[in-house]
Amino acid sequence: MIVLPVNLILLTRNYKENGYSFLMENDKTTMIRDMNKKELLTVELQEKISKAISKIGNVPSHLIPKINESNDDAYPYVEIGDDSVIYVVIKERGVEYERNFCRDTDDALLKLFRYNSYEIARAKEKNNPNYSVEKLKDMQLKILKTINPSWNLE
């Protein structure tokens, strides 16, 4: 089952005409044409990442995860294959160090932010002379719970 992104959830009608899907949304017509599962997953995951970033606030641009685009700086990014398999990949200077399979977009989001949340916490506390590793770990946990309170992080 494909889950449509949030901006397409308020659909009032869904019908097909000449091979295209027309989706009616509050008197606006949105056409999804030739979107395969990979593209739908990309849109869904990009929306989830954007929503997570807005919940956290003030995230440095180099820590915002990308989709199908390596930053080559050992920060995780998402790779969605042509067969719609999702991986979280860590690559530095062209060398792939880690590739983790993800069951779905929520699993990918959790894996991405498990890596990045510590660095986000460190960036937020960089001007505090009294920060400690324990405080950063607590802040990391708080960031992850802000993104999704239902994640089992213990």
Side-chain angles (χ1 to χ4, degrees), residues 1-6 9 40-52 55 65 67 78 80 84-88 100-115 144-153:
M1 179 175 138
I2 296 174
V3 179
L4 291 175
V6 174
I9 288 180
L40 286 172
L41 284 171
T42 302
V43 169
E44 179 184 355
L45 193 55
Q46 186 61 51
E47 188 165 302
K48 285 182 178 186
I49 290 170
S50 297
K51 196 182 272 189
K55 285 181 180 180
I67 299 175
V78 176
I80 302 174
S84 301
V85 176
I86 304 171
Y87 296 98
V88 171
N100 293 304
F101 170 77
C102 302
R103 294 182 310 275
D104 54 22
T105 55
D106 288 328
D107 188 36
L109 196 68
L110 174 60
K111 287 178 181 175
L112 281 171
F113 282 100
R114 277 207 172 179
Y115 287 109
L144 290 169
K145 288 188 177 189
T146 300
I147 295 170
N148 189 341
S150 66
W151 281 340
N152 184 13
L153 302 169

Side-chain angles (χ1 to χ4, degrees), residues 27-44:
D27 297 328
K28 287 193 307 185
T29 302
T30 305
M31 184 172 73
I32 296 179
R33 177 182 174 191
D34 298 330
M35 285 189 84
N36 59 25
K37 189 172 179 183
K38 177 182 176 179
E39 292 166 332
L40 286 172
L41 284 171
T42 302
V43 169
E44 179 184 355

Side-chain angles (χ1 to χ4, degrees), residues 9 12 17 22 24 34 75 83 100 117 130 132 138 140:
I9 288 180
T12 56
E17 182 176 294
F22 290 90
M24 303 298 293
D34 298 330
Y75 291 112
D83 53 355
N100 293 304
S117 56
N130 298 322
S132 65
D138 289 342
Q140 177 186 19

